[in-house]
Amino acid sequence: MYSLFIDTTQKYCYLAVLKDKKIISKISILTHNNLTDLVVEHINQILKKTKVNKELIKNIYIAIGPGSFTGVRVSTTITKTWNLINNCSVYTISSLLLQLPVPNGTSLLDARGNKYFCGIYKNNKLVSKLKIINLRKVKSCKNIYKNYENIDIFNNLIYHMKDFRKVKDINNLSPLYIKQPV
């Protein structure tokens, strides 16, 4: 069974095609202001490269945020549209959890203005409410993973396959916002 992974929450767009939960092709692309066109174009390219027809994709795994406001909207919109056309299953994960290569740690993602989205995890479970913290509080955090630095997101994808949650009603699929858009 083929699956597609999409993460557009950060400055890179990460895409992967999986067969039976094993990555057969992956790409990461630095994004700019053309995110929607870029993602669709690269999804088509990766499917062509792997010789997998769109109709064969039975699952979509996406990071729903927090992160780039436009990025999280793009991936959820593409996923909803794909589901409508191809009737596939959809699975989601927080980008904060996806960033962690270990079961216990503090995951931080840039929220701009010297602030960070923060999630603290134990055994891959959130132990406190997702929040925004300022730069000086970051120094008190332990076992920190920040802004997808020094990790292999594709290894993390495989590690966290069990942590994705199935979306029961596609109409309820929405980005994970911690702060509201301005």
Side-chain angles (χ1 to χ4, degrees), residues 60-77:
I60 297 182
Y61 293 88
I62 65 167
I64 57 169
S68 159
F69 177 71
T70 301
V72 295
R73 288 184 307 155
V74 166
S75 62
T76 54
T77 301

Side-chain angles (χ1 to χ4, degrees), residues 94 96-97 103 105 107 118-131 176:
S94 159
L96 287 163
L97 177 56
S107 183
C118 177
I120 301 170
Y121 294 87
K122 184 172 184 177
N123 297 319
N124 292 327
K125 303 286 184 221
L126 188 64
V127 294
S128 67
K129 185 177 177 184
L130 295 178
K131 57 189 169 193
L176 174 58

Side-chain angles (χ1 to χ4, degrees), residues 23-150:
I23 296 173
I24 60 172
S25 187
K26 62 187 179 184
I27 55 174
S28 57
I29 309 107
L30 182 61
T31 60
H32 302 286
N33 294 333
N34 58 344
L35 185 60
T36 305
D37 296 336
L38 187 79
V39 175
V40 172
E41 174 187 327
H42 282 87
I43 288 173
N44 289 332
Q45 285 179 5
I46 198 169
L47 291 174
K48 185 177 180 181
K49 177 183 173 185
T50 57
K51 298 179 181 163
V52 174
N53 292 328
K54 292 178 185 176
E55 298 79 27
L56 294 176
I57 300 293
K58 299 301 179 191
N59 303 301
I60 297 182
Y61 293 88
I62 65 167
I64 57 169
S68 159
F69 177 71
T70 301
V72 295
R73 288 184 307 155
V74 166
S75 62
T76 54
T77 301
I78 288 171
T79 300
K80 282 182 172 184
T81 304
W82 195 295
N83 176 270
L84 181 67
I85 295 168
N86 295 309
N87 193 28
C88 59
S89 295
V90 174
Y91 298 85
T92 64
I93 194 168
S94 159
S95 51
L96 287 163
L97 177 56
L98 181 62
Q99 175 176 226
L100 291 179
V102 296
N104 303 317
T106 302
S107 183
L108 301 172
L109 296 171
D110 189 7
R112 304 207 179 179
N114 290 324
K115 295 185 180 185
Y116 290 87
F117 300 114
C118 177
I120 301 170
Y121 294 87
K122 184 172 184 177
N123 297 319
N124 292 327
K125 303 286 184 221
L126 188 64
V127 294
S128 67
K129 185 177 177 184
L130 295 178
K131 57 189 169 193
I132 297 176
I133 63 172
N134 63 35
L135 188 58
R136 69 177 187 275
K137 284 192 177 184
V138 168
K139 294 174 183 167
S140 67
C141 295
K142 304 278 188 254
N143 201 19
I144 296 174
Y145 293 88
K146 188 167 93 177
N147 296 330
Y148 281 37
E149 295 168 355
N150 303 314

